[in-house]
Amino acid sequence: MTPLKNDTFLRALQRQPVDHTPLWLMRQAGRYLPEYCATRARAGSFLSLCKTPSLATEVTLQPLARYDLDAAILFSDILTVPDAMGLGLYFAEGEGPKFERPLRQEWEIRDLQAPDPHDHLGYVMDAVSEIRRALDGSVPLIGFSGSPFTLSCYMVEGEGSDTYARVKTLMYSRPDLMHHILDVTTRAVIDYLNAQIEAGAQAVMVFDSWGGMLSQAAYLEFSLPYMARIMAGLTRERDGRTVPRIVFTKGGGLWLDRIADCGADAVGLDWTIEIGEARQRVGDRVALQGNMDPSILLTTPEAVATEARRILASYGHGNGHVFNLGHGISQFTPPENVAVLVETVRAESRQYHAS
Ligand code: CP3
């Protein structure tokens, strides 16, 4: 394999010295880019984009062609795993993701199996290999998965939800069944992420998008321990390099100390927590990734630059910061504002790494 030309992102995740703060953006390949919309139109749908490795490669590279980003992220979706478990993922036009066969009956839950990633998710592994070839060592490739809890939310509800009443009812009334879903999903995620690492992913991230709507007690029973199990089950080294792991619980700021001890190298933060204070709390246990409010990108170049500078200053001098948004980029973001963000972080972050 060609050596990496820019390993700033991998180094920052391990709190090693870098010359600038690396930056990538959650959902960096998405509908705010006209070229993404054009490829998606050619593909016919979001899912065929995910399932066609050459098209997934094309859209993964689009934001890197425009901006000086320090990492690429595999173009896919967290819900491909429950799809491979037989739940039947589909996207109704103008609506979010849905499952044809959500988990409703006890026997459906008991029948759930962890899929072999090479059989059922081969298109993801093919995309990872093809993206690595296309990147040609320019920047590292991030692989990812949903957390067992977040995947379970969609598997039980059958779609997104404002209240998550179904999954919470199951969790509180039949914790044994909820733990069974989480256990099978955890095994699936470990196999899936290890297959991505085998295929060429150089860092991995677990998205726990809905963990933050749990009580602390429920989070510590139904979400965090399963992410810790994933961390313990992941391949640590590949091609002589550490494969760093990031966990991101949206809304998890209150539990930062516990999250920092789950075995991840880095913790993703949403925008509700002040990153400088978060750094004091975690000390040198983990790196931090975040945490600009994506809504700022909807405003003006001046506001974007000011907020980027504020976040860099809040984290302060030294290692262990990966700049990102606190959640995915909005489809209504003007691409010019992203250019301002990338340029500002690149130029202004150097002062925090000078010795
Ligand atoms: O970050 C990246 O650029 C990589 C690609 C990526 C996508 N989804 C592409 C996508 C990643 C990492 C995800 C993760 C994902 N998917 C999460 C966790 C992160 C988060 O946002 O909290 C979740 C909860 C999902 C499930 C999902 N997929 C939802 C709720 C939606 C609809 C939301 C929307 O914006 O319409 C999707 C669809 C989706 N996944 C899109 C993209 C680019 C939009 C699809 C389109 O082109 O219409």
Side-chain angles (χ1 to χ4, degrees):
M1 278 278 176
T2 31
L4 260 179
K5 292 175 196 107
N6 174 358
D7 64 355
T8 316
F9 168 68
L10 298 181
R11 293 180 62 81
L13 290 175
Q14 296 169 84
R15 292 172 292 106
Q16 294 165 354
V18 288
D19 66 359
H20 67 272
T21 303
L23 171 143
W24 70 280
L25 303 171
M26 289 190 268
R27 291 270 173 98
Q28 62 191 23
R31 284 167 296 184
Y32 75 105
L33 291 177
E35 58 272 34
Y36 169 85
C37 295
T39 311
R40 186 183 184 277
R42 254 199 298 134
S45 71
F46 167 69
L47 267 187
S48 53
L49 204 49
C50 293
K51 292 187 177 182
T52 313
S54 59
L55 296 178
T57 302
E58 185 176 313
V59 293
T60 299
L61 298 183
Q62 285 170 345
L64 293 141
R66 269 188 189 250
Y67 312 115
D68 209 354
L69 299 162
D70 295 283
I73 180 161
L74 162 70
F75 189 84
S76 189
D77 200 82
I78 61 168
L79 301 178
T80 54
V81 169
D83 186 50
M85 289 166 142
L87 275 68
L89 175 63
Y90 69 100
F91 284 79
E93 199 52 49
E95 294 174 60
K98 292 191 184 202
F99 286 110
E100 282 163 24
R101 293 171 292 279
L103 300 177
R104 290 288 152 75
Q105 308 296 330
E106 178 160 353
W107 66 265
E108 292 170 318
I109 294 173
R110 296 269 173 228
D111 272 2
L112 205 62
Q113 301 277 340
D116 180 331
H118 297 287
D119 281 356
H120 295 91
L121 293 156
Y123 62 90
V124 176
M125 307 316 146
D126 291 344
V128 170
S129 320
E130 193 169 333
I131 296 163
R132 272 298 298 276
R133 276 197 298 279
L135 285 171
D136 194 27
S138 52
V139 290
L141 175 62
I142 308 166
F144 70 88
S145 157
S147 74
F149 177 73
T150 293
L151 293 177
S152 304
C153 286
Y154 284 99
M155 290 159 73
V156 172
E157 298 285 341
E159 59 190 322
S161 162
D162 290 334
T163 58
Y164 289 94
R166 272 203 166 95
V167 73
K168 285 191 172 182
T169 302
L170 179 74
M171 188 177 90
Y172 288 120
S173 62
R174 291 294 307 270
D176 59 319
L177 290 182
M178 186 67 189
H179 280 298
H180 181 72
I181 302 172
L182 291 164
D183 175 62
V184 177
T185 309
T186 298
R187 286 189 274 119
V189 167
I190 292 172
D191 293 347
Y192 180 56
L193 287 177
N194 281 337
Q196 289 185 34
I197 292 169
E198 186 64 35
Q202 292 149 295
V204 290
M205 174 153 166
V206 175
F207 288 89
D208 186 25
S209 306
W210 305 124
M213 54 98 182
L214 290 172
S215 69
Q216 173 168 306
Y219 180 73
L220 298 180
E221 178 174 351
F222 295 101
S223 186
L224 190 59
Y226 291 96
M227 293 201 286
R229 233 173 88 189
I230 293 168
M231 296 300 123
L234 291 180
T235 305
R236 189 59 176 148
E237 247 190 49
R238 173 88 176 121
D239 292 334
R241 271 199 99 119
T242 300
V243 182
R245 311 85 182 256
I246 310 161
V247 297
F248 171 54
T249 292
K250 185 164 179 289
L254 287 171
W255 315 313
L256 179 60
D257 289 283
R258 286 165 162 115
I259 299 172
D261 288 331
C262 81
D265 298 278
V267 176
L269 304 175
D270 67 28
W271 61 87
T272 60
I273 188 167
E274 183 57 41
I275 195 164
E277 291 176 19
R279 185 184 186 184
Q280 283 181 356
R281 276 167 59 189
V282 301
D284 58 9
R285 283 182 287 167
V286 285
L288 295 174
Q289 175 173 280
N291 69 341
M292 194 169 100
D293 184 341
S295 306
I296 293 172
L297 284 173
L298 303 174
T299 66
T300 62
E302 294 72 30
V304 169
T306 303
E307 181 62 3
R309 286 193 201 98
R310 195 191 66 73
I311 290 169
L312 288 170
S314 175
Y315 188 88
H317 273 273
N319 309 317
H321 184 201
V322 172
F323 202 103
N324 205 318
L325 303 175
H327 200 205
I329 192 166
S330 153
Q331 63 173 306
F332 305 110
T333 301
E336 315 81 77
N337 284 352
V338 177
V340 170
L341 174 63
V342 174
E343 284 155 22
T344 305
V345 171
R346 190 47 86 87
E348 306 273 335
S349 66
R350 291 188 190 273
Q351 60 185 298
Y352 297 104
H353 300 284
S355 46

